[in-house]
Amino acid sequence: MNVQNYMTAEVVTVPEDTKVLEALDIMKEHNFHRLPVVRNGRMVGLITEEIIQENSPSTATSLSIHELNYLLTKTTVGDIMHKTVVTISATDLLEEAAVRMLEDEVGALPVVEDEDKVIGIITDKDLFRAFIDVMGNNNKGSRIVIDIPEDHSGILEDITNILAADNISINQIAVYRQKEVTQVVIQMDSLQLEEIKEILTTEGYTISSATSKGPKNN
């Protein structure tokens, strides 16, 4: 799946001359933690709650409350924004977005096109949502985990053929390769969990986990 499938397309942005307090109000109003900063429709930086906090005068200084408020009122996002921003394209894969967030230790990526025109934003929460969708955790049906102690070619073909022979439809399938065992996770439409387990165990497969979701009469 691509970034465009899970990004937020309606992005709230601010110009460089936006006052810091105004930016904070916008974040609070929309329940955001960050805002792209734009100039003539092109992104030139990023302002976040953390950046504002880092650049706010410490309460340990000798400044009075009046002086502190004055500084915050006069400071613009352009004065303190991060100018080097990690971005991503709408056509990039979600895996690439996850890698960039992890490597650069950021929780969101502005989505840009045509020389930094902001067309969206994708966050770590969007990636969590995509992962849940891919694994089918929100779907009704059965979900099983098969342990494969000795991985080799042809296993997935064998499992899918076994289920197809009993007219069991697969919605999602994923493979996790670990040091000691490979796990195959399968999400299916059918709620006949015990029957599915029996079919696979009869064929020699080990089921380490099995769950079902939805009314039994469906």
Side-chain angles (χ1 to χ4, degrees):
M1 290 182 290
N2 296 335
V3 168
Q4 62 190 358
N5 299 124
Y6 282 90
M7 71 180 189
T8 298
E10 297 180 1
V11 188
V12 178
T13 63
V14 293
E16 296 167 276
D17 59 356
T18 303
K19 299 298 187 292
V20 166
L21 288 180
E22 183 182 350
L24 284 172
D25 287 340
I26 294 173
M27 292 184 199
K28 183 178 180 180
E29 178 185 354
H30 296 278
N31 194 27
F32 294 157
H33 301 287
R34 56 191 68 81
L35 292 170
V37 183
V38 299
R39 180 195 306 149
N40 298 324
R42 308 292 177 180
M43 189 176 68
V44 293
L46 186 73
I47 188 72
T48 70
E49 290 178 343
E50 184 178 4
I51 294 172
I52 294 174
Q53 184 176 3
E54 290 174 350
N55 287 273
S56 296
S58 170
T59 55
T61 67
S62 59
L63 294 176
S64 67
I65 295 298
H66 174 75
E67 290 171 320
L68 289 173
N69 288 336
Y70 176 81
L71 284 176
L72 289 175
T73 301
K74 294 300 180 181
T75 302
T76 68
V77 296
D79 296 328
I80 61 174
M81 68 182 183
H82 281 180
K83 297 180 180 180
T84 302
V85 184
V86 183
T87 63
I88 199 159
S89 168
T91 56
D92 285 337
L93 294 175
L94 288 176
E95 296 93 313
E96 178 61 27
V99 169
R100 293 189 192 181
M101 287 186 196
L102 185 63
E103 290 182 345
D104 291 275
E105 298 182 349
V106 295
L109 297 173
V111 184
V112 299
E113 67 177 9
D114 299 334
E115 298 180 358
D116 291 333
K117 178 183 178 182
V118 182
I119 60 170
I121 192 165
I122 187 163
T123 69
D124 48 9
K125 292 182 179 179
D126 295 324
L127 296 183
F128 297 153
R129 181 163 54 90
F131 178 76
I132 292 172
D133 288 347
V134 168
M135 294 310 302
N137 283 14
N138 286 332
N139 298 335
K140 294 180 180 179
S142 298
R143 186 171 184 266
I144 62 170
V145 180
I146 304 172
D147 285 350
I148 310 294
E150 296 183 8
D151 194 5
H152 58 82
S153 61
I155 288 180
L156 287 182
E157 181 181 6
D158 185 49
I159 293 173
T160 55
N161 286 340
I162 291 170
L163 295 176
D166 283 271
N167 295 317
I168 298 172
S169 178
I170 296 175
N171 289 335
Q172 283 94 10
I173 187 167
V175 178
Y176 297 94
R177 289 183 170 84
Q178 305 175 45
K179 290 184 179 180
E180 298 180 355
V181 65
T182 296
Q183 291 187 319
V184 178
V185 183
I186 304 176
Q187 177 74 30
M188 297 153 286
D189 285 332
S190 175
L191 286 167
Q192 306 304 316
L193 186 59
E194 294 305 317
E195 292 181 14
I196 295 171
K197 288 170 59 179
E198 183 178 355
I199 290 169
L200 290 168
T201 54
T202 300
E203 295 292 336
Y205 288 102
T206 300
I207 310 298
S208 61
S209 175
T211 58
S212 62
K213 182 186 296 184
K216 297 295 182 182
N217 58 354
N218 276 10

